[in-house]
């Protein structure tokens, strides 16, 4: 039986699997003591592996031709929308589920080398994090989006503090405080939207918003602005991202890798709600806040690029790379055109995989640096490998005989780490031939040719478009300079260090993450067709609204036993009703 046939038999109930599977796995883990760490690790890996298979099946299901199969609606409790809980699967949510599953599987396998034993309840918290992420991608109403956000954040608080230590506790408290503030804004915005429209179902909101009276239009925009602020905090927009780099830089490596998804949840929510509620069909509210999204994204990109140039801490580089990716996606989302949205949907999983891999590489380099006998360390104010007179430092880029490093054999572990770091550099900076370049090239193509090849004669992209193009290219070059400088310092001028130790369980997740980036290049045409279809659906909100609001509950199954006699439509005239009063009140 093929995967597609099995999926067809299990749908639409298969939509529940990404939520129920991690929830049940976490509940089962909580019944086990901490001495069963190996058992919990195997359960965690098995759950993530099954989740990956389910996500692949949902991607194939959502990518079928025809409206009836490209979007699936599941009415939990069999109540029709907008009154019941609705789960919705389309190409965007399926893509996010697949990206989450790949990163989660790699992170949990990597944690098996040492990090999962650094504290208690790592595995249940990890599974609850998966549950919150999957629910946020699948839910069709704002109330349950808030519920899944809180599940996701509550698990992330514990994961960030996993391993303890002063830095994790200090920055973890900042992380908790800023996310509690964001959750409060979320509640305020949702309450105002409900007060204006009387619904929290996303499809119903999109249906009602064009007809909101002009007297309430300002209040509606205020509510949307408050709600967007909560999502932008999670998406790490400048200047609301001051908490991210210290917090993510303090987390353990597998937690940092899974946190690479957290900013993408904010991006996903903004793209989903903005294209649905403030599309070109939203009347006076059409494209509300688009210029703010673009300007906020550009400011975030510049902040991240300048910061990544200025930092010498390897642990912070991955955090700034995550912010740079988030800024690029925010700015691209603000343009609100199909081709640009398709490009950002291609770039989003690519950059997420690369940033997650960079968190893992950072951990391996830090261990290589600190456990080696030489213990070579660099302070922030120190030049990476040159003295103040611009002369080579002793023992850094020369060998012990003061000879230049030419023709030296490179150990396999060092070669693997160096190659992995180089691939991350190419993806994050957007250089060919990897997926980062294709994603950024598609964005530039959409800017220069917004109506498609051969159809944009005379179309001007405006000063915001030119500004985005300049910032996109310049920030990519700045990220390239910063990462190349770090690569030279860590891999080229590290003569005094020994050979790094690398386990298979650590190298395999790295290979899978970066291999996925390569697969996105070799199967670039198929991936771009998928993202283009997803973008077309996003910019046609009528399809989403009809699919959700016109889905009818399933009729109750008949309970008539087999072989039972048919009940006549009317009783015979000679048979009096049992509860009919007797004439005259006399007894028989």
């Amino acid at each position: 039986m093929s995967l597609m046939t099995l999926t067809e038999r299990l749908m639409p109930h298969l939509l529940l699997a990404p939520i129920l599977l991690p929830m049940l796995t976490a509940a089962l883990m909580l019944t086990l003591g901490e001495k069963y760490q190996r058992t919990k690790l195997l359960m965690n890996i098995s759950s993530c592996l099954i989740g990956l298979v389910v996500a692949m099946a949902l991607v194939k299901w959502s990518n079928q031709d025809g409206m009836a199969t490209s979007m699936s609606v599941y009415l939990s409790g069999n109540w029709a929308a907008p009154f019941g809980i609705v789960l919705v699967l389309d190409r965007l949510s399926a893509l996010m589920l697949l990206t989450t599953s790949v990163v989660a599987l790699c992170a949990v396998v990597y944690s098996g080398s040492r990090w999962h034993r650094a504290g208690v309840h790592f595995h249940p918290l990890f599974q609850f994090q998966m549950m919150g992420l999957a629910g946020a991608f699948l839910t069709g109403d704002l109330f349950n989006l808030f519920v899944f956000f809180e599940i996701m954040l509550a698990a992330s608080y514990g994961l960030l503090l996993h391993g303890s230590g002063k830095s994790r506790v200090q920055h973890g408290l900042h992380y908790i405080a800023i996310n509690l503030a964001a959750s409060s804004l979320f509640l305020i915005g949702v309450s105002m939207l409900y007060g204006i429209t009387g619904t929290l179902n996303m499809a119903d909101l999109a249906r009602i918003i064009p007809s909101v009276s002009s007297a309430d239009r300002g209040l509606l925009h205020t509510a949307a602005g408050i709600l967007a602020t909560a999502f932008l905090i999670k998406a790490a927009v400048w200047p609301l991202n001051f908490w991210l780099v210290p917090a993510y830089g303090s987390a353990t490596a597998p937690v940092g890798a899974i946190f690479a998804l957290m900013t993408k949840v904010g991006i996903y929510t903004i793209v989903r709600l903005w294209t649905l509620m403030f599309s070109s069909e939203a009347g006076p509210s059409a494209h509300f806040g688009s210029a703010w999204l673009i300007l906020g994204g550009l400011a975030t990109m510049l902040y991240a690029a300048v910061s990544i140039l200025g930092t010498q801490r390897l642990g912070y580089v991955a955090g700034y790379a995550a912010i740079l990716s988030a800024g690029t996606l925010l700015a691209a989302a603000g343009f609100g055109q199909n081709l640009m949205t398709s490009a950002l949907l291609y770039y989003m999983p690519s950059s997420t995989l690369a940033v997650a891999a960079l968190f893992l590489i950072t951990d391996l380099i830090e261990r290589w640096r600190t456990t080696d006998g030489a213990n070579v360390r660099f302070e922030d104010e120190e030049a990476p490998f040159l003295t103040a007179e611009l002369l080579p430092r002793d023992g850094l880029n020369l060998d012990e005989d003061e000879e230049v490093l030419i023709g030296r054999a490179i150990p396999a572990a060092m070669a693997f780490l160096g190659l992995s770091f180089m691939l991350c550099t190419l993806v994050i900076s957007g250089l060919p031939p990897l997926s980062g370049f294709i994603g950024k090239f598609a964005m530039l193509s959409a800017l220069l040719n917004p109506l498609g090849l051969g159809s944009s004669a005379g179309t001007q992209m405006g000063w915001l478009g030119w500004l985005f193009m300049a910032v996109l290219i310049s920030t990519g070059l700045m990220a390239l300079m910063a990462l190349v400088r770090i690569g030279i310092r860590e891999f080229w001028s590290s003569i005094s260090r020994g050979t790094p130790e690398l386990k298979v369980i650590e190298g395999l997740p790295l290979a899978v993450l970066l291999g996925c980036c390569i697969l996105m290049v070799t199967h670039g045409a198929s991936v771009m067709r998928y993202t283009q279809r997803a973008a077309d659906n996003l910019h046609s909100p009528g399809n989403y609204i009809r699919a959700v609001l016109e889905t009818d509950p399933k009729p109750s199954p008949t309970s008539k036993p087999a072989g039972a006699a048919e009940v006549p439509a009317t009783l015979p005239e000679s048979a009096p009703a049992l509860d009919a009063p007797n004439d005259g009140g006399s007894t028989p």
Side-chain angles (χ1 to χ4, degrees), residues 256-300:
I258 204 68
F259 277 12
L261 291 164
M262 299 285 278
T263 55
K264 304 306 183 295
V265 179
I267 301 290
Y268 163 83
T269 313
I270 289 172
V271 170
R272 166 72 71 195
L273 294 181
W274 192 71
T275 55
L276 192 59
M277 296 164 56
F278 301 109
S279 67
S280 57
E281 303 172 10
S285 297
H287 302 302
F288 168 71
S290 60
W292 288 106
L293 280 181
I294 297 173
L295 294 175
L298 294 177
T300 306

Side-chain angles (χ1 to χ4, degrees), residues 95-396:
L95 178 65
M96 298 304 297
L97 285 176
L98 182 59
T99 306
T100 301
S101 300
V102 172
V103 174
L105 181 60
C106 293
V108 73
V109 169
Y110 185 90
S111 74
S113 64
R114 55 175 178 150
W115 284 116
H116 76 118
R117 299 189 299 270
V120 297
H121 299 309
F122 172 80
H123 297 292
L125 288 172
F126 194 95
Q127 286 297 306
F128 280 126
Q129 177 92 6
M130 292 302 101
M131 175 190 172
L133 287 168
F137 296 141
L138 287 174
T139 185
D141 64 87
L142 290 181
F143 177 77
N144 286 292
L145 180 64
F146 175 78
V147 171
F148 285 118
F149 258 58
E150 291 308 302
I151 294 173
M152 177 183 67
L153 290 174
S156 72
Y157 300 153
L159 288 175
L160 182 56
L161 297 175
H162 179 74
S164 66
K166 178 183 176 182
S167 177
R168 291 192 182 107
V169 173
Q170 179 182 358
H171 299 304
L173 291 177
H174 296 167
Y175 173 80
I176 293 172
I178 191 68
N179 278 288
L180 287 178
S183 298
S184 302
L185 291 175
F186 194 157
L187 274 183
I188 294 171
V190 165
S191 303
M192 292 176 67
L193 274 180
Y194 185 76
I196 298 167
T197 60
T199 183
L200 291 179
N201 184 276
M202 296 179 188
D204 207 28
L205 278 170
R207 182 183 64 83
I208 292 174
I209 281 178
S211 58
V212 170
S213 66
S214 57
D216 292 335
R217 186 69 59 179
L219 197 58
L220 171 70
H221 291 172
T222 304
I226 293 173
L227 198 61
T229 303
F231 297 141
L232 288 173
I233 289 175
K234 300 180 190 307
V237 71
W238 182 85
L240 304 176
N241 55 12
F242 59 90
W243 52 274
L244 188 143
V245 173
Y248 286 19
S250 303
T252 59
V255 174
I258 204 68
F259 277 12
L261 291 164
M262 299 285 278
T263 55
K264 304 306 183 295
V265 179
I267 301 290
Y268 163 83
T269 313
I270 289 172
V271 170
R272 166 72 71 195
L273 294 181
W274 192 71
T275 55
L276 192 59
M277 296 164 56
F278 301 109
S279 67
S280 57
E281 303 172 10
S285 297
H287 302 302
F288 168 71
S290 60
W292 288 106
L293 280 181
I294 297 173
L295 294 175
L298 294 177
T300 306
M301 293 167 68
L302 289 172
Y303 165 78
V306 172
S307 300
I308 202 172
L309 268 179
T311 187
Q312 295 287 332
R313 296 187 179 184
L314 190 58
Y316 282 13
V317 172
Y320 286 121
I323 294 177
L324 179 60
S325 165
T328 305
L329 295 169
L330 275 178
F335 284 92
Q337 53 171 278
N338 292 28
L339 291 178
M340 182 65 85
T341 305
S342 170
L344 83 86
L345 293 184
Y346 181 94
Y347 181 74
M348 183 155 54
S350 165
S351 61
T352 305
L353 296 171
V355 172
L358 191 56
F359 272 109
L360 303 185
I361 295 174
T362 299
D363 179 60
L364 295 174
I365 293 176
E366 290 283 359
R367 188 182 67 189
W368 176 31
R369 175 194 292 174
T370 54
T371 58
D372 187 76
N375 285 332
V376 178
R377 280 188 168 278
F378 299 95
E379 301 298 333
D380 287 356
E381 63 272 12
E382 252 185 352
F385 60 93
L386 297 178
T387 64
E389 294 79 20
L390 299 181
L391 296 175
R393 288 183 181 276
D394 294 337
L396 288 181

Side-chain angles (χ1 to χ4, degrees), residues 63 95 342-343 345-347 349-350 433-439 441-442 515-533:
N63 198 34
L95 178 65
S342 170
L345 293 184
Y346 181 94
Y347 181 74
S350 165
L434 293 186
S435 51
F437 169 75
I438 295 179
F441 184 81
C516 289
C517 292
I518 297 174
L519 280 177
M520 290 185 68
V521 177
T522 57
H523 295 76
S526 302
V527 179
M528 287 299 290
R529 276 197 298 272
Y530 182 91
T531 59
Q532 186 60 58
R533 288 179 172 182

